[in-house]
Amino acid sequence: MDRRAFLRAIGSAALLPVLPRRPWAITNFRRRRPSDAAWPSQSAWKRLDDAVGGNLIPVNFPLSILKTDPTGAAAKQFSENLRNPYLIGDQPGLTQTLGWVDAWATKPSVYAVAARDAHDISEAVNFARENDLRLVVKGGGHSYQGTSNAPDSLLIWTRHMNDITMHTAFVPQGCEHTLPPQPAVTLGAGTIGMQAYDAATTKGGKYVQGGGCTTVGLAGLIQGGGFGSFSKHYGLAAGSLLEAEVVTADGQIRVANACANPDLFWALKGGGGGTFGVVSKMTLRLHDLPEFFGVANFTVKAASDDAYRRLIREFVSFYQEHLFNDQWGEQAHVNPDNTLVIQMNSHGLSAEQAKKVWQSFLDWVARSPHEYSLEGRVVIGSIPARHWWDVQWWKEHWPEIAFPNPNANPLTALFDYGLVHLIRQPVFDFDKRPGAGPNNAWWKGDGGQVGWFIWGYESMWLPSSLLENNAQEHLADALFTSSRYSGVGLHFNKGLAGAPPDAIARASDTATNPALLSAFALAIVADSEGPAYPGIPGHEPSVASGREARERVDRCMSGLRALVPNPGAYVSESNYFEKGFQNSYWGSNYTRLAEIKRKYDPDGLFFVHNGVGSEQWSADGFTKL
Ligand SMILES: Cc1cc2nc3c(=O)[nH]c(=O)nc-3n(C[C@H](O)[C@H](O)[C@H](O)COP(=O)(O)OP(=O)(O)OC[C@H]3O[C@@H](n4cnc5c(N)ncnc54)[C@H](O)[C@@H]3O)c2cc1C
C-alpha cells in the first residue's frame, strides 16, 4: 500500500463507528413507550436500580398539583416558588423554560437515574440502548428548545454530580509531552455557574468561563459553545475545555482531550448537548482575574423617531470607537419605545476609567435635552473582580440585598467603596427555601426567564464589517427598522471580534459556527410570558398572542438578516423553528460533526431537537425515518 492509500485508509478507519450498527435499527425503528408490551419489566427496572445504587427514581410532574388541588397549601407554596431557579433545578420533572408556543411543553420522563458518577451513567446508557428506550440528559435544565426533557423516556439527571477540584498544574491525560501544566478546575457534570464561580473565583482567586446566568449548567453550556459576561476577554467557554470524561453510546467511559479521542473532544466543544455522549466531568482552564469587574447601566429615551434614529447611529459609532474591545461585554437594547438601554459589563477598568470611556457619549446626549432624556440614574461602577459572585461579600457590604426593602427605588443611591462605586440596588435574588445553600443566588436580570413560556426567540451573529465607517449607517437604520417590531438585544460578549488573539484561537478550535469569530455581537430578539403551562386554569399560555409575537420577532430579525448573507445563529439561544439549523448553528463545521456523530453514536441513541444527526428521526425522537 502506498503512503497516500495508507493515509486514506487510516483516515476513514478513524471515522468508522466505534460500535457495530444493529441491522434492524437502521430503518423503521421505533423506540419503546410504557404502553408497549416490550417496555422493560419491573424486574428489569429493579436490576437497573440495583446497578445504580438505588438511584433510579420515578419522575413526578410538580406542576400537576396546580391542576389537581389548585387551592391547596401545597399548590400555593409551589406557585410562590415557581420563579426560583434552584427549586426548578431540584426537580427532575421540570425545566427552567416551561415551553414554547406551537413547539413544546415540558414533560417528565418515566424514570430518572440520579447519577453519582460515570459508572451510573454508563449503566443507564446501556439499559436505554439494550431496551430501545428514548434517552434524555439533564444538567441545569436551561435548554430553551426543550432538549433536556421528553415524555416516555429514561432521564440521566446529573444535578447532584457537582464535585469540584482545583488544580495548580493540570495536564490532560496523554498530553504529558505536548501540553504544559496549567491552572484548571475539574467540575462534575451537574455543576452550575454559581458553584463554579464560588470555587474558582471567590475562593480560588481565578476566573473560570461559565455563563452569565448563575444557574446554567456548565456541561450544557460548554457543549453549546457558551458565553459569559466577560467572554469578550476570556472567549468561548468551550474554548477553555481541557478534558472531558464522557460516556458514549456503547456505555464506554472515555477520556476526551487534545491527545485522546480528539475528534470527540472537538465535537463536545460546541457541537450541541445531548448528542455525542453523556459528559460526566469536565476540566476547564483557569484564567487570571483583573483588579476590577464593573457595570455601565443607563437608559436614554428619544423624543421622536427621528431623534431615535440619530441616537442609534451615534451609539453604533461610539461603540466602534470606544467599546469594541475586550473590556466591554453584555448588552445594549434597541426598543420599540425609542429607548436605548445600556446594560454592559466592563473588564479591568476602575470606576473612574469606565466613566471616562462613556463621557463623550453622555455629553452628546446631554447636548440635546429636548431630544434625549436619561431615564433613572446613570450607574457606572466597578468592584473588586474577586467579589463579583461573592454573595457573602455583597451581603456584608450591602445588607439590603439580603433583606431587600420593597419601597426602595433601586437606582437612586450610590456609595463610595474606596476608589470604586457600588450600585446600591438589589442585584441578586435568593433561594429562600428552608435549608437552601447560602450561595443559591441569581442575578435579578435573569429572573424573568425562570418558568417562562416562550412566544418567539431568534438570534443572529452580526459581523464586525457592519461597524466599518461606510456600513454603520446601514446597521443603525436596520436596527431602527427592526425595533419597530420588537426590542433587539445586542449581546456584545457573544461575538468574539475585538477579543484577544488567544481567546479567538481557542474558539477557532471548537465546533461552534466560525461566524462567531468575526462577529462583534449576537443579536437576540425574544418574547414570552410566564410562568404558564397548558391545561393549568388561570395559567394557560396565550397561544394567539404568542403567535403574533413570534411573527413580530421574525419581522424584527428579517431587517437584520437582510444585512448579512448566510447568517449564523447560536445553537443554545435560537429559534426552535430555525430553518437550515445545520448551517445556522455550525456552518462549515457541520459535515465533520455529522461524521463524528456516526462514529460514536451510529444508531442515534442520543437525540435532541435540531441536534447533529436529528434529521434522521421523527420530531419526538422515537421513530427512525
Ligand atoms: C435563563 C437562561 C440564561 C442563559 N444564559 C446564558 C448565557 O449567559 N450564556 C450562554 O452561552 N447561554 C446561556 N443560556 C443558554 C444555556 O447555556 C444553554 O441552554 C445550555 O445548554 C444550558 O445547559 P443546562 O445544563 O443548564 O441545560 P439542560 O437543559 O440540562 O441541558 C442543555 C442540553 O445539554 C444536554 N446536556 C446537559 N448536560 C449534559 C451532559 N452532562 N452530557 C451531555 N449532554 C448534556 C441536555 O441533554 C440538553 O440537550 C441561558 C439559558 C437560560 C434559560
Side-chain angles (χ1 to χ4, degrees):
M1 190 184 287
D2 68 16
R3 187 178 138 75
R4 192 175 290 175
F6 173 71
L7 286 176
R8 254 201 319 270
I10 24 177
S12 47
L15 290 168
L16 284 179
V18 292
L19 71 166
R21 303 195 70 166
R22 291 171 294 169
W24 47 266
I26 291 172
T27 51
N28 298 328
F29 166 67
R30 192 174 66 77
R31 302 191 206 274
R32 294 171 189 168
R33 296 182 189 267
S35 52
D36 292 329
W39 180 254
S41 64
Q42 280 309 309
S43 55
W45 285 110
K46 172 78 174 64
R47 281 196 297 280
L48 175 60
D49 187 33
D50 290 344
V52 297
N55 285 300
L56 181 73
I57 48 176
V59 184
N60 298 322
F61 189 43
L63 288 176
S64 38
I65 186 84
L66 303 178
K67 278 191 198 174
T68 52
D69 185 16
T71 53
K76 188 166 175 290
Q77 196 190 10
F78 179 68
S79 299
E80 282 167 3
N81 273 296
L82 197 47
R83 288 234 117 136
N84 175 350
Y86 288 86
L87 171 124
I88 293 185
D90 287 341
Q91 308 294 326
L94 275 184
T95 47
Q96 301 283 334
T97 295
L98 294 181
W100 188 315
V101 166
D102 294 330
W104 67 278
T106 195
K107 302 257 170 44
S109 298
V110 183
Y111 287 107
V113 169
R116 300 160 300 173
D117 53 25
H119 167 80
D120 286 352
I121 292 174
S122 171
E123 292 290 346
V125 164
N126 287 336
F127 189 84
R129 189 189 63 251
E130 286 160 9
N131 290 285
D132 298 328
L133 302 183
R134 172 85 162 83
L135 186 63
V136 68
V137 188
K138 178 154 52 196
H142 280 60
S143 167
Y144 290 118
Q145 307 225 349
T147 56
S148 53
N149 81 95
D152 298 341
S153 65
L154 171 63
L155 171 69
I156 295 174
W157 190 44
T158 63
R159 179 72 169 177
H160 303 300
M161 293 175 65
N162 45 30
D163 284 349
I164 301 182
T165 311
M166 298 281 285
H167 312 271
T168 48
F170 179 82
V171 181
Q173 275 180 45
C175 296
E176 290 76 10
H177 302 296
T178 47
L179 290 178
Q182 54 196 306
V185 60
T186 299
L187 308 164
T191 305
I192 60 172
M194 196 52 144
Q195 294 163 341
Y197 296 136
D198 181 54
T201 303
T202 308
K203 297 197 173 84
K206 287 282 187 182
Y207 181 84
V208 60
Q209 188 55 69
C213 168
T214 60
T215 51
V216 161
L218 271 282
L221 178 93
I222 283 164
Q223 290 174 83
F227 302 94
S229 303
F230 306 105
S231 275
K232 202 72 159 191
H233 180 77
Y234 298 103
L236 194 64
S240 283
L241 186 69
L242 293 172
E243 182 168 285
E245 181 185 78
V246 54
V247 180
T248 44
D250 54 359
Q252 291 289 314
I253 302 169
R254 295 170 198 271
V255 168
N257 60 38
C259 307
N261 298 305
D263 50 359
L264 180 59
F265 179 57
W266 178 81
L268 292 174
K269 295 190 288 181
T275 302
F276 297 95
V278 186
V279 171
S280 44
K281 60 182 171 188
M282 61 225 143
T283 301
L284 292 170
R285 180 190 300 264
L286 288 172
H287 305 266
D288 290 334
L289 282 174
E291 191 174 356
F292 295 113
F293 285 150
V295 298
N297 284 351
F298 59 90
T299 299
V300 185
K301 185 164 174 68
S304 66
D305 286 0
D306 230 33
Y308 192 47
R309 207 186 270 270
R310 274 180 277 120
L311 175 67
I312 300 170
R313 280 187 201 165
E314 181 64 20
F315 177 69
V316 166
S317 157
F318 175 77
Y319 176 82
Q320 195 279 333
E321 204 174 326
H322 298 278
L323 307 175
F324 182 34
N325 56 51
D326 67 332
Q327 291 174 324
W328 290 96
E330 286 293 350
Q331 307 163 32
H333 290 263
V334 182
N335 291 325
D337 65 354
N338 290 350
T339 56
L340 173 69
V341 178
I342 304 297
Q343 293 171 335
M344 294 186 68
N345 285 160
S346 62
H347 172 282
L349 296 176
S350 69
E352 293 313 316
Q353 289 170 321
K355 280 179 188 163
K356 227 182 240 165
V357 170
W358 284 95
Q359 200 55 56
S360 62
F361 183 70
L362 291 168
D363 289 347
W364 184 90
V365 169
R367 275 200 293 277
S368 307
H370 299 300
E371 294 192 300
Y372 305 114
S373 55
L374 286 165
E375 295 200 328
R377 292 289 296 265
V378 176
V379 177
I380 300 174
S382 301
I383 66 164
R386 188 167 182 168
H387 296 307
W388 191 255
W389 294 282
D390 183 349
V391 172
Q392 197 50 39
W393 183 88
W394 282 99
K395 283 183 179 172
E396 279 164 15
H397 285 79
W398 181 26
E400 293 95 312
I401 66 161
F403 310 101
N405 170 6
N407 301 320
N409 178 346
L411 286 172
T412 48
L414 295 168
F415 72 95
D416 285 332
Y417 174 75
L419 278 181
V420 299
H421 293 284
L422 282 180
I423 312 124
R424 210 171 173 87
Q425 70 187 55
V427 288
F428 282 125
D429 260 331
F430 289 92
D431 179 0
K432 301 190 185 74
R433 293 174 299 164
N439 289 328
N440 284 12
W442 62 98
W443 300 115
K444 269 193 177 289
D446 289 321
Q449 296 184 47
V450 186
W452 72 346
F453 206 90
I454 297 178
W455 286 353
Y457 196 123
E458 297 189 27
S459 75
M460 181 186 141
W461 272 300
L462 299 175
S464 59
S465 55
L466 294 173
L467 294 176
E468 285 165 15
N469 283 345
N470 59 355
Q472 284 182 8
E473 196 168 329
H474 295 300
L475 171 63
D477 286 351
L479 286 168
F480 173 81
T481 308
S482 290
S483 72
R484 301 305 87 186
Y485 298 105
S486 197
V488 183
L490 298 172
H491 294 238
F492 302 111
N493 52 316
K494 295 175 183 170
L496 291 192
D502 63 323
I504 296 196
R506 286 194 298 271
S508 316
D509 189 21
T510 71
T512 312
N513 191 329
L516 101 141
L517 303 172
S518 54
F520 74 93
L522 181 77
I524 297 183
V525 181
D527 207 346
S528 67
E529 66 178 315
Y533 192 79
I536 296 184
H539 298 283
E540 292 272 3
S542 319
V543 174
S545 305
R547 288 177 184 157
E548 280 170 25
R550 182 166 79 227
E551 183 67 27
R552 279 198 303 278
V553 167
D554 195 49
R555 283 181 180 209
C556 173
M557 231 23 178
S558 300
L560 295 178
R561 271 194 291 263
L563 292 175
V564 184
N566 194 19
Y570 173 34
V571 57
S572 288
E573 299 184 319
S574 64
N575 191 357
Y576 183 90
F577 306 99
E578 187 78 27
K579 294 191 187 91
F581 69 88
Q582 299 89 338
N583 185 52
S584 296
Y585 296 162
W586 295 289
S588 53
N589 287 331
Y590 191 76
T591 312
R592 186 173 167 203
L593 282 170
E595 283 167 358
I596 296 169
K597 171 76 174 170
R598 278 194 292 276
K599 175 178 170 186
Y600 287 95
D601 184 18
D603 289 336
L605 179 67
F606 298 108
F607 165 90
V608 296
H609 172 73
N610 282 358
V612 173
S614 61
E615 313 85 346
Q616 297 172 28
W617 292 88
S618 58
D620 61 6
F622 271 82
T623 309
K624 186 90 193 273
L625 301 177

